[in-house]
Amino acid sequence: MSTSDRIEEIYEQVKARNAGEPEFHQAAAEVFESLHVVLERHPGYFESGLIERLCEPERQIIFRVPWIDDQGNVHVNRGFRVQYNSVLGPYKGGLRFHPSVNLGIVKFLGFEQIFKNALTGLPIGGGKGGSDFDPKGRSEQEIMRFCQSFMTELHRHIGEYTDVPAGDIGVGGREIGYLFGQYKRLTNSYESGVLTGKGLTWGGSQVRKEATGYGAAYFVNEMAKTAGTSLEGRTAVVSGSGNVAIYAIEKIHQLGGTAIACSDSSGYIVDRKGLDVALLKEIKEVRRGRISEYVDERGDAEFFPGGNIWNVPCDVALPCATQNELDEDSAKTLVNNGVKIVAEGANMPTTPGGISVFRDAGVAFAPGKAANAGGVATSALEMQQNASRDSWHFDYTDERLAGIMADIHGRCVETAAEYGKPGDYIHGANIAGFVKVADAMFALGVI
């Protein structure tokens, strides 16, 4: 049987075994596409059911989360934690609170996390979790009660040497605080290394809030330098307006570029003079408002209810909202408008059709497992600080982050070239992450 046939056979088994989980199928297909050149050269990776084991989580935990709202009504949500692969270290990955969360989405995120964490060069495995709970429109007390109920079950499955969750969509500093407080109460221990994304006064790390967005901007800057240019004078469009988007915008400005558009679920804004980061933070972080409020205070800006942010011409596009937000038609629009670099700030935000458009057009495209690895990298730095009872200042941590992102970029470029795919960041990221994890799995035996 040829290498391609063996890969296809394994992929069909994965789909059959995980029916009804299209996001997970998509994530697996993207990685499998890159494995042909590796397995042709190193067929030994087929041995010991390695690929089959890599596609099967070590543990999948699903649990009930009952909680009481402010009117005394009982609600029941579903909680998840997929502990995917711990061959490089304790499971590491965020918690997502959003109505769309289901087992397939958590598995796709956890599968991506394996390779993303491997690319950081830090000793962390891959995992992910969350719930179909929607924090939007809920009071502080309701969110606290939900988080306490969620952690009442989750606490028995995590620990600083076992599994270290962090935040994701719907889980910010507020939620991490409630989760950590309940963990501390249940375990009678101040095990600060059990969660990352904590507040600065109780074990958190400088730059953690900024890290994913900063890291994506650092990665884009490395891509520009590799192409013989820079971000100086470049325009950028960034979807989303959460932590990732806001801090990607901030760092793009610091690196000489100009971010001109961002969005939320209500629509998008365009500010040709450059987005006012301080105003964005005020609206989204302090007021927890809608992006439309921006134009009330910036008369030159425009708000487009609904619509498609990818219609805005730019040099650099950073999808930082959610999975599969940038489809084939949007990719064609970006290419026709002259986009040069696309880097994923979110997890799998570009559809396979969109990726094909960028590849065919010669647009430099960086997948999320490389471009948005700054968040988990800084989480690992927070774990280091917690373990040593230490605290680092902002500039030092930011320098460490910039160095890690430059290393990831270099690893992707070198690996892609080594396997005959020069300039292909998808192949570079997938292969570099896979080889590191696969070699460790071989070393530890069939477990």
Side-chain angles (χ1 to χ4, degrees), residues 420-439:
K421 303 288 183 178
D424 192 317
Y425 288 94
I426 296 176
H427 282 296
N430 286 337
I431 295 170
F434 169 79
V435 168
K436 183 169 184 178
V437 173
D439 288 348

Side-chain angles (χ1 to χ4, degrees), residues 110-129:
F111 186 71
E112 287 275 292
Q113 202 77 41
I114 300 169
F115 307 105
K116 181 189 301 186
N117 293 0
L119 286 171
T120 69
L122 299 166
I124 44 178
K128 206 76 177 182

Side-chain angles (χ1 to χ4, degrees), residues 12-289:
E12 290 301 320
Q13 292 171 358
V14 169
K15 287 201 299 182
R17 194 179 185 117
N18 301 277
E21 298 175 356
E23 294 87 1
F24 176 59
H25 300 165
Q26 182 181 336
E30 185 202 275
V31 173
F32 277 37
E33 180 196 3
S34 298
L35 295 187
H36 289 77
V37 292
V38 183
L39 296 168
E40 286 283 357
R41 191 178 299 185
H42 305 290
Y45 284 129
F46 278 119
E47 296 174 9
S48 304
L50 188 144
I51 300 173
E52 291 89 340
R53 285 188 288 134
L54 185 58
C55 292
E56 186 69 19
E58 293 174 8
R59 193 171 293 105
Q60 301 179 70
I61 303 157
I62 304 176
F63 52 94
R64 180 179 65 195
V65 188
W67 58 281
I68 302 173
D69 68 20
D70 291 341
Q71 287 71 47
N73 301 308
V74 175
H75 299 259
V76 180
N77 286 96
R78 184 171 288 176
F80 304 90
R81 189 67 182 173
V82 173
Q83 297 173 332
Y84 220 114
N85 191 293
S86 60
V87 72
L88 297 179
Y91 309 106
K92 186 83 192 77
L95 298 170
R96 175 177 294 191
F97 292 170
H98 191 272
S100 66
V101 170
N102 56 42
L103 182 60
I105 284 178
V106 175
K107 283 169 67 177
F108 119 65
L109 292 168
F111 186 71
E112 287 275 292
Q113 202 77 41
I114 300 169
F115 307 105
K116 181 189 301 186
N117 293 0
L119 286 171
T120 69
L122 299 166
I124 44 178
K128 206 76 177 182
S131 173
D132 56 0
F133 171 75
D134 189 357
K136 284 185 179 178
R138 293 296 177 183
S139 71
E140 292 282 337
Q141 292 299 309
E142 288 174 329
I143 291 170
M144 181 183 72
R145 287 193 290 271
F146 173 82
C147 289
Q148 289 175 339
S149 181
F150 185 88
M151 183 54 78
T152 296
E153 173 61 31
L154 184 66
H155 85 279
R156 70 193 77 224
H157 306 292
I158 63 176
E160 62 179 318
Y161 300 113
T162 304
D163 185 355
V164 183
D168 193 80
I169 293 172
V171 180
R174 172 183 60 184
E175 289 77 16
I176 292 293
Y178 294 147
L179 291 165
F180 182 70
Q182 184 72 350
Y183 182 88
K184 176 179 174 294
R185 179 187 186 190
L186 291 167
T187 62
N188 191 32
S189 77
Y190 204 99
E191 191 181 327
S192 58
V194 73
L195 286 167
T196 56
K198 300 181 294 296
L200 295 179
T201 58
W202 42 280
S205 170
Q206 298 273 10
V207 193
R208 179 60 192 91
K209 180 170 68 172
E210 298 87 352
T212 308
Y214 275 21
Y218 282 134
F219 198 94
V220 166
N221 198 45
E222 294 296 321
M223 294 172 77
K225 288 194 288 186
T226 298
T229 181
S230 72
L231 281 180
E232 192 71 36
R234 300 278 184 169
T235 58
V237 167
V238 182
S239 67
S241 52
N243 276 351
V244 180
I246 288 174
Y247 291 101
I249 291 165
E250 181 170 84
K251 185 56 70 173
I252 285 169
H253 289 176
Q254 293 174 8
L255 294 170
T258 303
I260 59 172
C262 67
S263 63
D264 65 13
S265 58
S266 68
Y268 66 93
I269 57 170
V270 178
D271 189 340
R272 302 287 176 186
K273 294 180 180 178
L275 293 165
D276 184 327
V277 175
L279 179 56
L280 284 175
K281 291 179 183 178
E282 168 67 25
I283 293 169
K284 303 304 289 189
E285 296 180 350
V286 179
R287 303 181 204 166
R288 297 184 183 274

